Amino acid sequence: MRIAIFSEPAQEPRVSASVETVKRLVGLGGEVLVASGAGLGSGISDADYQGAGASIAADNAAASSGAQIVLGVRRPAAADLAGIAPGALVIAIADPHGNEAALAEVAATGASLFAMELMPRITRAQVMDVLSSQANLAGYRAVVDAAAEFGRAFPMMMTAAGTVPAARVFVMGAGVAGLQAVATARRLGAVVSATDVRPAAKEQVESLGGKFIAVEDEEFKQAETAGGYAKQMSAEYQAKQAALVASHIAKQDIVITTALIPGRPAPKLVSAEMVASMKAGSVLVDLAVERGGNVAGAVAGEVVTTANGVKIVGFLNVPGRLAATASQLYAKNLYAFVETLVDKNAKALAVKWDDELVKATLLTKSGAIVHPGFGGKVEDAGAPAAA
C-alpha cells in the first residue's frame, strides 16, 4: 500500500501523521510518502519522518502519485489528487457543509473521500473522534488566550498590598470544548460558571467545580439528540435563556462561547447589548467564529476592542494554535480509522463498505457524491469499489 501524507495550506500548521503513526503505518504494510515540509508547523522534520521509515516527496502531487491512501488535515485540492491510484481512499476533515462543488471536484478524481468529522459517536469510534480530540484542545487554548488578553490574574490572591479578586469566567456551551474550558479556568483559580441546553451538561459542569446557569423547564429536559448534540431550541426558550444569560454576563470578566450545531450557522448567543454591559477590560473568546460566530461583533481572525473597552477574540483554527499536540492526537485518530480499512495479514486494503463507520463518513466514491446528507443516495455508498 502506498500511503501519502499531505502538506497543508499555509494557514494550517497541523499535519496528518506523527512519527509514531508513520511507524505504525509502515507496520501495516504501508509505503509512506510524506510531502516535504509537511510536519514543520508541528515540529516534525523531514528527517524525523525518514527515521520512522517514510520517504520524502517533493510536494503533494508527487506524494500522491500511485497512492492508495491519502491522509490530510483539510480536504485536499482536486489538483493534488490527479495521480492517485484508481479508487484511492482520501481521509481528512472534509468540511462538506456548503462545499458540494468542491466535493464534486474531488469525486471527479475517482477518490473515495472520507470526512473524519462525520465519525459516529459510538463506543468503537471514540478513538477516531477528531471533533472531540481537537475541541478538547480548543477549549484549553481558549482559556489560555483569554488569560493573555485579560491582563489580570485569574486566582484570588491575598497579599500585604491587598486582596486580588478571582476572575469570573462564564463558558457558553458545555460540550467537549466547553468542559475543557471549565476545567482549565478552574485550575487557574477562576470562579467558573457555564451554560448549555443539554440537561446532561449540568452534572458534568458541576463535577468540574463550575456553577450551571440555565432555564431548566420541560423543553430543556428534552434538548439533546440521540447522537449527543444540542437540539435547536424554540424562540420562546431562547428568549428566556437570553434574559438569564444577559444578567449573568454583565457580572463576568471572561466569556467563552463554544456553541456549534453540525451543518448550521453558529447560533448567536451574545448580543451587542450584552457586550456593552460588560466592564472595560473584559474578554470574550468566540470559538465558533469560523461558522459565523456566537458573539455579535466577532471578526474571524481578529481581536476586536469595542467602544466600551471589551475585547472580542476571534482566532481561527484554535486547535492549530497547539499544532504539535493537535497533530499528535489527530494522527492517532486517523491511524485508528485506517487500521479498520486494512487486512493486517494480507497487508492490503480491505474496505468493508457496509461497515457503519465507512457508511457514516464516506462522501464520494466511483466518481459521485454518495453521502445522503450531501446529495448522494443511500444505496450508492455500498456500491462495488472502482476497478
Side-chain angles (χ1 to χ4, degrees):
M1 296 179 297
R2 177 168 285 196
I3 302 172
I5 308 300
F6 270 14
S7 176
E8 302 297 322
Q11 70 272 21
E12 179 54 80
R14 292 174 292 177
V15 66
S16 56
S18 64
V19 169
E20 177 190 348
T21 61
V22 165
K23 290 178 181 177
R24 298 176 74 178
L25 289 169
V26 171
L28 284 180
E31 176 196 354
V32 181
L33 283 86
V34 179
S36 181
L40 294 180
S42 296
I44 307 172
S45 68
D46 289 352
D48 292 333
Y49 282 128
Q50 287 176 311
S55 300
I56 304 301
D59 52 26
N60 287 346
S64 66
S65 179
Q68 292 172 281
I69 300 176
V70 174
L71 303 181
V73 178
R74 300 189 181 225
R75 180 186 63 249
D80 287 336
L81 301 174
I84 58 173
L89 313 183
V90 178
I91 309 172
I93 298 172
D95 190 22
H97 295 286
N99 291 312
E100 284 78 4
L103 295 185
E105 291 178 3
V106 173
T109 68
S112 293
L113 174 62
F114 293 85
M116 287 298 292
E117 70 268 43
L118 299 182
M119 193 66 66
R121 286 187 162 174
I122 58 177
T123 301
R124 66 182 282 238
Q126 284 182 332
V127 69
M128 310 168 201
D129 188 352
V130 300
L131 292 180
S132 291
S133 73
Q134 303 303 293
N136 193 48
L137 293 173
Y140 165 81
R141 183 70 203 210
V143 176
V144 172
D145 286 337
E149 296 293 339
F150 186 45
R152 296 174 175 83
F154 261 49
M156 183 180 75
M157 297 180 182
M158 300 182 71
T159 74
T163 299
V164 177
R168 304 182 70 86
V169 177
F170 181 41
V171 180
M172 303 185 73
V176 174
L179 290 173
Q180 181 57 246
V182 169
T184 303
R186 284 286 297 147
R187 284 195 292 269
L188 289 177
V191 175
V192 184
S193 56
T195 188
D196 197 286
V197 298
R198 296 171 300 116
K202 179 178 181 179
E203 182 178 348
Q204 294 165 342
V205 167
E206 291 174 346
S207 72
L208 294 171
K211 181 180 179 181
F212 192 70
I213 308 293
V215 176
E216 299 183 40
D217 60 10
E218 284 303 313
E219 184 175 358
F220 172 79
K221 295 175 184 177
Q222 307 296 325
E224 187 170 348
T225 69
Y229 293 100
K231 286 183 179 178
Q232 184 77 31
M233 304 299 283
S234 69
E236 291 77 15
Y237 182 89
Q238 290 182 40
K240 290 187 289 185
Q241 178 73 356
L244 175 63
V245 165
S247 63
H248 189 67
I249 282 179
K251 307 167 189 172
Q252 304 305 302
D253 298 305
I254 291 168
V255 176
I256 297 171
T257 67
T258 70
L260 278 173
I261 300 171
R264 296 172 182 248
K268 294 298 181 186
L269 302 180
V270 182
S271 66
E273 291 75 18
M274 294 178 189
V275 175
S277 74
M278 297 181 73
K279 303 183 294 290
S282 300
V283 178
L284 297 107
V285 180
D286 191 340
L287 288 182
V289 71
E290 293 182 51
R291 288 289 183 182
N294 299 140
V295 180
V299 178
E302 296 184 17
V303 178
V304 175
T305 302
T306 67
N308 61 316
V310 174
K311 291 182 179 180
I312 305 174
V313 179
F315 292 137
L316 296 170
N317 189 14
V318 176
R321 293 171 63 77
L322 295 162
T325 306
S327 295
Q328 176 188 352
L329 298 181
Y330 179 68
K332 287 183 178 178
N333 294 146
L334 278 182
Y335 175 79
F337 184 46
V338 169
E339 200 174 20
T340 70
L341 308 175
V342 172
D343 184 325
K344 294 182 181 179
N345 293 322
K347 295 188 181 296
L349 281 181
V351 182
K352 299 179 179 68
W353 297 104
D354 60 348
D355 183 274
E356 60 185 325
L357 305 184
V358 170
K359 291 167 72 174
T361 56
L362 182 62
L363 291 172
T364 71
K365 185 167 180 277
S366 302
I369 296 175
V370 297
H371 196 289
F374 303 96
K377 297 179 181 178
V378 175
E379 60 268 22
D380 287 344

